[in-house]
């Protein structure tokens, strides 16, 4: 099995190896399931799927080292307050350390499963040629008011441009340019979290039902999943990425983008297939 090191992930992200390793240590302190069992002084080694997830989560939240560290309370310290019983305060405040843009863009407040959340509005309308679907908005994107911000988001847009789907030279933000060109945006879950583990039981099922209704009402012919994890959460497990010949969503054909850490040759093959699919 191919193994990926923290330094490889850091180079892809454009940060130092030390910064990324410090972030990994903070995630270990916070009991992140991928690194919780890591032994002190041993080397980190990740599968490609784990590397994809960690790279995405690094970009989705604050990137300062050790932001997730939870210091042990002193005997005299009172227990930390919780906004909701049984919930992690950090999960209730995904925007900690972020600055909201003065231009709200597509940032809204909306109802989600009995609570009010700050999120991104669906960019959907009749006549769309394709809808891009994410698992849920990243706090970085919500703070900026536009879909797919940060380095991973910008590389996603660059891949769409390489497949002749998006014109990055168009005026305005990339999601606005895509929307004008007939491409919509939504998420399965509308509540932002700093990492995928922040989703609560029942959210994916609730979001799937809503997504089916949205897409069926619009008669969208194509759906593009930005991450394999989101597609598998809704459609079940499958191998690889690209056009899913045996799966549809609300009657739409489904294409799954390669992960952020996928090998360059596989990315190029996937983008060639994406370009053919878009042109067909």
């Amino acid at each position: 099995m191919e193994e990926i090191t923290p330094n490889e992930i850091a180079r892809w992200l454009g940060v130092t190896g030390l910064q990324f390793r410090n972030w990994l240590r903070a995630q270990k302190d916070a009991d992140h399931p991928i690194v919780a069992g890591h032994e002190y002084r041993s080397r980190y080694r990740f599968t490609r799927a784990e590397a994809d997830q960690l790279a995405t989560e690094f970009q989705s939240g604050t990137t300062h080292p050790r932001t997730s560290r939870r210091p042990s309370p002193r005997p005299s310290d009172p227990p930390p307050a919780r906004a909701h019983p049984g919930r992690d305060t950090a999960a209730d405040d995904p925007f900690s350390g972020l600055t909201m843009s003065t231009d709200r863009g597509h940032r809204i407040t909306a109802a989600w499963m009995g609570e009010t959340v700050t999120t991104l509005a669906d960019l959907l309308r009749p006549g769309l040629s394709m809808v891009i679907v994410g698992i849920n908005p990243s706090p970085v994107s919500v703070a900026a008011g536009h879909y797919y911000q940060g380095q991973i988001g910008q590389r996603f847009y660059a891949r769409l441009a390489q497949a002749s789907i998006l014109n990055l030279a168009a005026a305005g933000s990339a999601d606005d340019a895509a929307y004008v060109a007939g491409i919509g945006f939504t998420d399965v879950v509308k509540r932002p979290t700093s990492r995928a583990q922040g989703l609560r039981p029942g959210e994916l099922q609730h979001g799937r039902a809503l997504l089916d209704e949205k897409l069926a009402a619009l008669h969208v012919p194509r759906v593009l999943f930005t991450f394999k994890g989101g597609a598998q959460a809704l459609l079940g497990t499958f191998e690889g990425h690209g056009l899913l010949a045996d799966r549809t969503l609300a009657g739409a054909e489904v294409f799954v983008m390669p992960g952020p850490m996928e090998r360059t040759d596989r990315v190029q093959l996937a983008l060639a297939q994406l370009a053919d699919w878009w042109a067909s």
Side-chain angles (χ1 to χ4, degrees):
M1 179 181 294
E2 183 180 9
E3 293 183 330
I4 297 174
T5 68
N7 283 345
E8 290 177 285
I9 302 174
R11 282 195 297 271
W12 193 94
L13 290 166
V15 299
T16 66
L18 177 61
Q19 182 181 358
F20 186 69
R21 286 193 299 274
N22 282 342
W23 181 84
L24 286 176
R25 294 186 187 103
Q27 302 314 300
K28 176 178 171 60
D29 292 344
D31 298 324
H32 191 298
I34 292 179
V35 294
H38 179 260
E39 296 181 4
Y40 180 63
R41 292 189 179 279
S42 64
R43 293 184 177 182
Y44 287 103
R45 289 289 188 272
F46 304 111
T47 66
R48 186 166 297 280
E50 290 171 340
D52 283 345
Q53 180 176 330
L54 291 170
T56 301
E57 291 176 2
F58 182 92
Q59 284 289 318
S60 295
T62 54
T63 58
H64 303 290
R66 297 190 179 274
T67 52
S68 298
R69 177 176 288 276
R70 297 179 292 190
S72 300
R74 295 171 298 186
S76 59
D77 287 341
R82 289 182 180 269
H84 300 279
R87 292 184 187 171
D88 190 339
T89 303
D92 289 326
D93 184 16
F95 306 109
S96 176
L98 297 175
T99 300
M100 295 290 182
S101 62
T102 54
D103 179 4
R104 294 180 62 89
H106 304 298
R107 187 170 65 245
I108 61 169
T109 56
W112 174 258
M113 296 186 70
E115 64 179 294
T116 300
V117 298
T118 302
T119 185
L120 292 175
D122 289 337
L123 299 185
L124 298 174
R125 59 175 172 79
L128 293 172
S129 299
M130 181 170 70
V131 171
I132 295 172
V133 178
I135 298 179
N136 66 330
S138 75
V140 170
S141 296
V142 175
H146 291 279
Y147 282 86
Y148 302 107
Q149 300 303 294
Q151 186 170 356
I152 285 179
Q154 296 309 303
R155 292 197 183 191
F156 166 65
Y157 285 136
R159 287 179 174 181
L160 293 186
Q162 185 176 341
S164 300
I165 294 175
L166 181 63
N167 178 13
L168 292 179
S173 298
D175 54 359
D176 291 329
Y179 191 58
V180 170
I183 299 171
F185 292 81
T186 189
D187 301 281
V188 182
V189 174
K190 295 307 294 184
R191 185 177 64 87
T193 60
S194 294
R195 66 190 193 204
Q197 284 75 19
L199 295 182
R200 299 169 188 154
E203 284 192 295
L204 283 171
Q205 292 83 351
H206 179 74
R208 165 66 191 263
L210 294 178
L211 182 61
D212 276 337
E213 291 180 6
K214 295 173 188 176
L215 297 179
L218 295 174
H219 303 286
V220 177
R222 298 181 181 94
V223 169
L224 177 71
F225 278 95
T226 51
F227 299 109
K228 185 175 181 177
Q232 289 188 323
L234 299 190
L235 303 174
T237 59
F238 53 85
E239 294 296 324
H241 50 258
L243 182 62
L244 302 185
D246 60 343
R247 314 287 172 95
T248 61
L249 183 61
E253 294 182 350
V254 175
F255 192 100
V256 180
M257 292 293 283
M261 295 297 298
E262 187 56 85
R263 280 174 23 190
T264 301
D265 59 331
R266 293 177 180 171
V267 170
Q268 298 307 313
L269 288 173
L271 294 185
Q273 185 188 34
L274 178 61
D276 290 341
W277 181 60
W278 178 250
S280 63

